Amino acid sequence: MTRYRLQLRHPSGVTPIHVGDGVLSDESSQLEDWVLDRRVFVISSPTVLGLHARVLAPLSERAATWNVLEVPEGEDAKSLEVAGSLWEAILEAGGKRDSRILAFGGGSVGDLAGFVAGSYMRGIDYAQVPTTLLAQVDAAIGGKTAINLTKAKNSVGLFHHPQRVVADTRLLRTLPREELRSGLMEVLKMAILSDGELFVALERDLEGLLSGDAATLSPVVAAAAEGKISIVERDPTERNERMLLNLGHTLGHALEAGLDYRLLRHGEAVGYGLLFAVRLAERRGLSADTAGRIRQLVDRFELPKLPALEVDTLVEFMGRDKKIDEGGWRWVLPTELGSCEVVSDLAREEIEQALQDFLTELS
Ligand code: GLY
């Protein structure tokens, strides 16, 4: 079985990232050594524990103590209250500076667990064992951790890199198709950003990937992770190039917020964001051929239909995005397959008109 052993070099060290079918029960992940004789706190959600808790049994036998801390599903986990109850529970159970946190779940669990690890006793070690495709290709990599404020997602957090990431594609078999679709949209984003070959692989294998086949998914997860690693290594704290990862996210985040984080999964919203970015990019010279190929591929994802939305509402949410600074709106736009640029000279009126046309065409 193919295993991919990657690593991410960052200002506080190196994070090994292991990807593959069955990699969690493989000694090469070195998780057993990492938990050996430590107090371990597993942060996870009820669904993930119900489906996969038993895969952690060999690890639990190596730990000095093993506490499983259950948090709410999805974004509801990323609150100050939940973080506070975890700090208290960890302290109560004897958590020390050399204790370890294992994030076992999707992106929300990983963001929360990383935040709790980064702040408990000024920072303790944690590992990411992502169980969704989205987390395996994006959220678990790069050290971003966060909780949400009532009106702004991910607004309180810190950079705290995990000591290791173990992305076992076997865990993806239980994911519903919509969740795979959501994760694959982040893979498509990475392909458009920096990897023309990955784009071709998606064109060729999309149906197999959407069905959750671990062998088909493993090389694609590894390629997307590699793309993210190389951007984060060049710009760990998002001063410039890491901003490229925001391709499709300016409108994507606004759609998620405008729909109260209920109707669209993150990747589905990003799918619409990609289509809008292609539209803006075409006006600046993206070839009709490339634009057409991206549109055709996004079409094959069969995104859920958008309900009626007001341009003003979306523009307001875009204005609240934390990636917008005093310099104004910056848009990541494809220039060709595998390459994008950041532009900041698009007038607000131009965006509003393009968005109006985009929504009209979709309705
Ligand atoms: N998900 C975007 C980033 O890690 O920068």
Side-chain angles (χ1 to χ4, degrees):
M1 220 86 68
T2 318
R3 305 272 195 266
Y4 300 83
R5 305 178 72 160
L6 315 174
Q7 51 179 24
L8 169 60
R9 283 168 291 268
H10 49 78
S12 42
V14 180
T15 300
I17 298 175
H18 293 236
V19 179
D21 181 358
V23 76
L24 187 56
S25 38
D26 183 350
E27 273 178 20
S28 71
S29 78
Q30 294 160 350
L31 270 181
E32 291 198 5
D33 293 338
W34 187 75
V35 299
L36 187 65
D37 297 336
R38 305 283 178 152
R39 287 178 189 274
V40 178
F41 297 91
V42 179
I43 298 180
S44 190
S45 68
T47 305
V48 170
L49 289 170
L51 289 167
H52 301 300
R54 67 185 178 287
V55 299
L56 299 182
L59 291 179
S60 67
E61 284 160 21
R62 310 276 290 189
T65 62
W66 185 262
N67 285 274
V68 178
L69 304 172
E70 214 172 89
V71 298
E73 302 287 346
E75 290 295 318
D76 290 344
K78 290 170 60 178
S79 71
L80 189 56
E81 291 70 35
V82 176
S85 67
L86 291 174
W87 290 319
E88 297 286 358
I90 293 170
L91 186 71
E92 187 67 24
K96 308 267 189 306
R97 293 189 66 189
D98 65 352
S99 299
R100 309 210 129 154
I101 288 180
L102 190 78
F104 187 48
S108 299
V109 160
D111 283 1
L112 168 74
F115 177 71
V116 167
S119 47
Y120 183 75
M121 296 202 172
R122 299 199 184 88
I124 66 171
D125 289 343
Y126 78 115
Q128 292 269 16
V129 179
T131 58
T132 64
L133 181 55
L134 192 77
Q136 293 194 354
V137 297
D138 187 21
I141 298 171
K144 278 189 181 175
T145 76
I147 55 172
N148 300 331
L149 296 181
T150 323
K151 288 194 175 154
K153 212 177 147 187
N154 294 333
S155 284
V156 176
L158 33 86
F159 286 100
H160 183 51
H161 284 269
Q163 289 238 309
R164 55 200 64 240
V165 179
V166 181
D168 191 336
T169 51
R170 192 170 295 179
L171 299 177
L172 306 180
R173 283 188 190 148
T174 51
L175 287 182
R177 189 179 170 89
E178 303 78 56
E179 194 53 46
L180 288 161
R181 168 165 74 193
S182 178
L184 282 167
M185 203 58 90
E186 286 287 355
V187 176
L188 173 57
K189 176 200 82 177
M190 276 312 310
I192 298 171
L193 263 185
S194 65
D195 191 341
E197 279 179 31
L198 180 57
F199 188 91
V200 173
L202 288 172
E203 284 184 321
R204 189 188 55 227
D205 295 330
L206 189 67
E207 277 64 37
L209 294 165
L210 281 168
S211 69
D213 176 57
T216 321
L217 278 163
S218 294
V220 163
V221 172
E226 267 182 289
K228 178 153 186 188
I229 288 167
S230 73
I231 290 179
V232 172
E233 283 189 344
R234 290 196 291 272
D235 178 20
T237 52
E238 199 168 326
R239 305 256 172 240
N240 40 66
E241 200 183 338
R242 187 164 178 170
M243 216 176 294
L244 289 171
L245 295 172
N246 211 32
L247 171 63
H249 283 60
T250 311
L251 178 60
H253 283 150
L255 286 170
E256 282 185 281
L259 297 169
D260 212 14
Y261 297 99
R262 307 260 168 236
L263 271 180
L264 287 184
R265 288 170 197 255
H266 176 68
E268 294 166 347
V270 169
Y272 281 109
L274 289 177
L275 291 175
F276 187 57
V278 165
R279 185 183 192 99
L280 295 177
E282 263 187 305
R283 299 149 73 117
R284 302 173 70 96
L286 178 71
S287 76
D289 177 48
T290 303
R293 272 178 79 186
I294 297 174
R295 279 199 189 96
Q296 265 177 18
L297 190 47
V298 174
D299 273 358
R300 286 169 59 198
F301 280 70
E302 297 178 344
L303 291 174
K305 207 168 152 36
L306 273 188
L309 280 158
E310 295 294 327
V311 169
D312 289 352
T313 314
L314 293 176
V315 168
E316 201 201 316
F317 279 116
M318 289 197 285
R320 279 193 211 159
D321 195 301
K322 68 183 178 313
K323 302 222 162 96
I324 293 170
D325 58 20
E326 298 303 330
W329 284 359
R330 279 176 296 201
W331 290 83
V332 183
L333 303 181
T335 50
E336 56 184 295
L337 275 185
S339 169
C340 286
E341 62 176 347
V342 179
V343 303
S344 51
D345 59 349
L346 285 170
R348 192 184 171 109
E349 300 70 43
E350 192 181 347
I351 304 278
E352 285 174 0
Q353 187 56 53
L355 188 53
Q356 183 63 68
D357 297 345
F358 180 67
L359 294 177
T360 309
E361 267 174 35
L362 288 172
S363 63

